[in-house]
Amino acid sequence: MDNALLLNRFERLRNLVLAKRPILAEILRKKGPKKLLDYANEYVDVNLAPALPTRQSELLETVHELTQERFGLEVADSVVEQLKKYYFVSTADHLGPLTHPFFVNSNLLSAATMLAHSDPALKNLIVLGCANVSYNNSSFPRGLLFNSFTNGQYELRKLAFLPSKPDPHIVYSIGPYGADAIEKIHISLNAMLVKHEIGKREHGILHDLIEEIYNRPEILECKDYCDQAAKTNFVLWKKFFQASGVTLPNLIHLEKETVVVRLINKYHLYQDTIINHVLFDPEYEDYINNYFEGIYGSFSRDQARGTYLFWALPKGHREYVQLWRKGNFLVSKDESYRIELHPEAIKTAMESRELIPNILLKFMVISFYYGLKCLGGFNQVNYLTLMKNNYIKMNADLGNYRSIEMCARAQTKEMIDGLSVAFLGSPGKPFALATGIDLILYGNKDSWNNLMHVVQSLTFDEAFSPLLPEIYRISYDKKDWDEDVLQITDKEISELMGMDDKIRPSAMIYPHT
């Protein structure tokens, strides 16, 4: 195809995406030419407010408690010691099995820079993932993703621990899978082998992987799916580059929702804090309505989008219930559900997972109040910066100057998701993004060196740009899509930017036998 036509489509596509995300546009202007590793090396630089240590100790105590429950005392101690020195986490992931390329890539970029720093304190890749997501989300949190090579093409395969449902059940509320789910996965694997969708080698590796990681008694005995996903990811992650002899930092998956609920219940239900006032003080309602109306992750009364601080998931419901403040109550639109804004009522509902903090409340707590640096995706850098700016304006109006001081240094423009570093290759075929399982199935002794070559060769702009078509589809309603712009593919963007000469695959796939 004519390069001039491709370039025109690419520039129009880029402009349309960035028009929706001005903060992302600013980041690309400033950081776009940087090599990926040089950009990622900035993750560990944290700008702490002088008065933060007292608040920081509350967050560290809560993280230690949850980490110890999930991964044991030794790991919990190392996580807290790391956070004392490097007060940052990733908040990019959806909680579920770590196989989708978006989250595999973001965590591998973090791991690359942590290993490059060679600081023994950097033992853990700490991720406060989002569990408040449908298990039918496109990132496939209900199971495993991997590629096979069939009829000369990459074919994405799925193995599900949770059954598909017509309604969007939420990962945060799902109980654990059981032995019956493992049996169904083995049946699916056997069917793929019979249909020649996978070869005997792939079948054997996947069979053993399921048994070793997902069919352990301690996993089947977990209290919920979040716990299962986090504990199995801890083991799965360590296998990604075994063929290269590389030991990755521990992957510590904790869900934001649980961390925030515990912090609120312990430190904000009765204490005189800004979070307490946001939750219960009627004088704050007009300010919240004024400053957070229309921001993604918050709410819009005008367009009936989002929710006021909490989503509700009443017993027996599979779908969210949107809530609005009405006097001293949170009520659904039809008022069939209501809950009093009283500390004990809110505490009980959060602990039973009937109330789920929305994005705004979660980041008010961990980022604006506790000052934690949160590495995020192409959406987060935009909405989190807008939220922070308006949080500061709200507190200026209220005369809460200490809250402004604590929030002002919160870092909201660190992007980690949407930057591609792990690629799947096949002789004579274009590169594709590798899933986590692909790295296990098709990795080799050169896999880690190839990944490091990519992070040292690609710029931030180059690693991000192939995702523009997908981001465009997310950013605009389908009825508004410019179909001509969408004619350009991620592969054409890679070729246009000369990326193929810089990419080396972390996994190589061949026709199966």
Side-chain angles (χ1 to χ4, degrees):
M1 184 179 290
D2 181 8
N3 266 10
L5 177 59
L6 279 177
L7 185 60
N8 177 266
R9 282 177 175 162
F10 172 68
E11 289 176 347
R12 286 161 53 212
L13 174 65
R14 184 185 181 89
N15 290 337
L16 286 166
V17 168
L18 297 184
K20 291 276 190 177
R21 294 175 173 80
I23 306 301
L24 176 58
E26 174 192 334
I27 293 170
L28 281 168
R29 281 195 301 272
K30 292 180 178 179
K31 308 290 188 179
K34 279 198 167 192
K35 299 296 184 185
L36 264 186
L37 188 60
D38 293 335
Y39 172 77
N41 280 339
E42 299 173 7
Y43 292 160
V44 302
D45 295 329
V46 181
N47 188 15
L48 290 176
L52 188 64
T54 300
R55 293 187 181 184
Q56 186 183 31
S57 66
E58 296 177 0
L59 183 136
L60 294 181
E61 180 181 315
T62 302
V63 167
H64 186 279
E65 176 185 79
L66 182 55
T67 306
Q68 182 176 349
E69 291 171 13
R70 194 162 274 175
F71 303 107
L73 179 60
E74 182 179 350
V75 172
D77 286 346
S78 72
V79 164
V80 167
E81 288 307 308
Q82 178 177 318
L83 285 172
K84 287 178 180 177
K85 185 174 182 180
Y86 299 104
Y87 195 55
F88 77 94
V89 300
S90 168
T91 50
D93 289 18
H94 293 163
L95 191 61
L98 183 64
T99 61
H100 193 280
F102 274 14
F103 309 128
V104 168
N105 278 278
S106 62
N107 288 310
L108 287 175
L109 183 56
S110 279
T113 189
M114 290 172 71
L115 293 178
H117 273 80
S118 302
D119 186 339
L122 288 167
K123 296 178 180 178
N124 306 287
L125 205 167
I126 307 162
V127 181
L128 301 189
C130 178
N132 191 22
V133 60
S134 161
Y135 69 40
N136 280 333
N137 184 275
S138 60
S139 61
F140 202 64
R142 65 189 183 92
L144 308 178
L145 297 171
F146 66 98
N147 282 283
S148 67
F149 197 79
T150 308
N151 299 322
Q153 301 293 330
Y154 302 117
E155 294 284 348
L156 191 64
R157 308 292 179 189
K158 298 179 179 181
L159 294 171
F161 296 103
L162 304 173
S164 178
K165 297 285 185 181
D167 47 1
H169 210 321
I170 310 307
V171 170
Y172 185 57
S173 68
I174 298 172
Y177 66 79
D180 57 332
I182 300 296
E183 183 179 353
K184 288 178 181 177
I185 279 185
H186 283 311
I187 290 171
S188 296
L189 266 179
N190 291 339
M192 289 179 186
L193 179 62
V194 169
K195 295 176 184 176
H196 304 291
E197 294 172 346
I198 58 174
K200 291 180 180 179
R201 174 186 172 276
E202 290 82 4
H203 179 273
I205 293 173
L206 290 167
H207 176 278
D208 293 348
L209 193 73
I210 296 299
E211 289 298 301
E212 179 186 350
I213 297 179
Y214 299 98
N215 199 24
R216 291 179 287 151
E218 60 268 34
I219 299 302
L220 297 179
E221 293 166 6
C222 284
K223 61 183 180 179
D224 55 39
Y225 188 64
C226 290
D227 202 30
Q228 288 179 321
K231 288 179 177 178
T232 52
N233 283 342
F234 186 91
V235 181
L236 180 73
W237 164 256
K238 292 284 190 178
K239 293 183 174 293
F240 284 180
F241 287 91
Q242 273 190 342
S244 300
V246 173
T247 301
L248 298 174
N250 295 326
L251 179 66
I252 308 300
H253 259 142
L254 309 172
E255 59 275 12
K256 285 194 288 289
E257 293 78 9
T258 300
V259 172
V260 168
V261 164
R262 292 192 184 191
L263 285 167
I264 290 174
N265 283 348
K266 191 167 185 177
Y267 300 109
H268 302 284
L269 287 180
Y270 293 100
Q271 294 88 330
D272 182 18
T273 68
I274 180 67
I275 301 301
N276 177 279
H277 286 282
V278 165
L279 291 173
F280 304 116
D281 192 337
E283 293 184 9
Y284 274 60
E285 181 182 1
D286 287 343
Y287 292 97
I288 294 169
N289 288 338
N290 181 40
Y291 281 112
F292 299 104
E293 164 74 30
I295 297 178
Y296 175 91
S298 176
F299 57 83
S300 172
R301 289 182 182 269
D302 294 342
Q303 300 179 31
R305 287 190 295 103
T307 191
Y308 189 92
L309 300 182
F310 294 97
W311 294 98
L313 198 62
K315 188 175 181 179
H317 284 237
R318 290 180 179 272
E319 295 188 13
Y320 295 119
V321 174
Q322 187 181 50
L323 300 177
W324 303 108
R325 183 161 187 165
K326 189 172 183 180
N328 203 39
F329 288 83
L330 292 176
V331 300
S332 60
K333 183 179 179 181
D334 62 4
E335 301 198 23
S336 61
Y337 177 87
R338 63 170 43 222
I339 186 166
E340 186 178 5
L341 283 165
H342 181 277
E344 285 305 310
I346 297 300
K347 178 177 187 290
T348 300
M350 287 195 299
E351 287 180 343
S352 68
R353 303 193 177 186
E354 178 182 310
L355 281 185
I356 307 169
N358 74 348
I359 292 174
L360 172 62
L361 181 56
K362 286 185 287 192
F363 281 111
M364 271 191 182
V365 173
I366 63 172
S367 180
F368 308 157
Y369 186 87
Y370 286 105
L372 188 63
K373 180 175 178 177
C374 299
L375 313 178
F378 50 82
N379 272 334
Q380 181 181 304
V381 293
N382 217 63
Y383 68 69
L384 189 56
T385 302
L386 294 174
M387 286 176 178
K388 172 191 168 180
N389 293 343
N390 285 12
Y391 179 87
I392 289 173
K393 291 174 185 176
M394 178 183 78
N395 281 290
D397 285 355
L398 289 161
N400 296 332
Y401 300 112
R402 180 173 173 78
S403 291
I404 295 172
E405 177 190 5
M406 298 300 289
C407 174
R409 297 196 186 192
Q411 291 161 279
T412 62
K413 299 179 182 179
E414 279 69 24
M415 183 169 150
I416 188 171
D417 186 20
L419 301 171
S420 302
V421 297
F423 294 89
L424 178 66
S426 187
K429 295 295 179 181
F431 296 116
L433 292 178
T435 73
I437 302 299
D438 290 340
L439 296 173
I440 297 171
L441 287 174
Y442 312 117
N444 54 60
K445 64 181 179 61
D446 297 319
S447 293
W448 183 255
N449 287 338
N450 287 346
L451 183 136
M452 289 303 298
H453 173 84
V454 171
V455 299
Q456 291 168 336
S457 301
L458 289 184
T459 65
F460 179 99
D461 197 0
E462 289 168 341
F464 171 73
S465 291
L467 289 175
L468 284 170
E470 181 64 23
I471 298 173
Y472 176 79
R473 291 182 177 92
I474 295 170
S475 305
Y476 290 86
D477 290 337
K478 189 171 183 178
K479 62 181 176 60
D480 298 323
W481 286 356
D482 182 330
E483 294 297 340
D484 182 66
V485 158
L486 284 175
Q487 292 299 309
I488 194 169
T489 67
D490 56 344
K491 305 294 188 302
E492 289 170 334
I493 292 173
S494 297
E495 292 171 4
L496 196 63
M497 302 187 79
M499 291 172 57
D500 286 354
D501 294 334
K502 301 178 180 181
I503 291 174
R504 292 180 184 172
S506 294
M508 284 294 294
I509 188 171
Y510 300 92
H512 57 259
T513 57

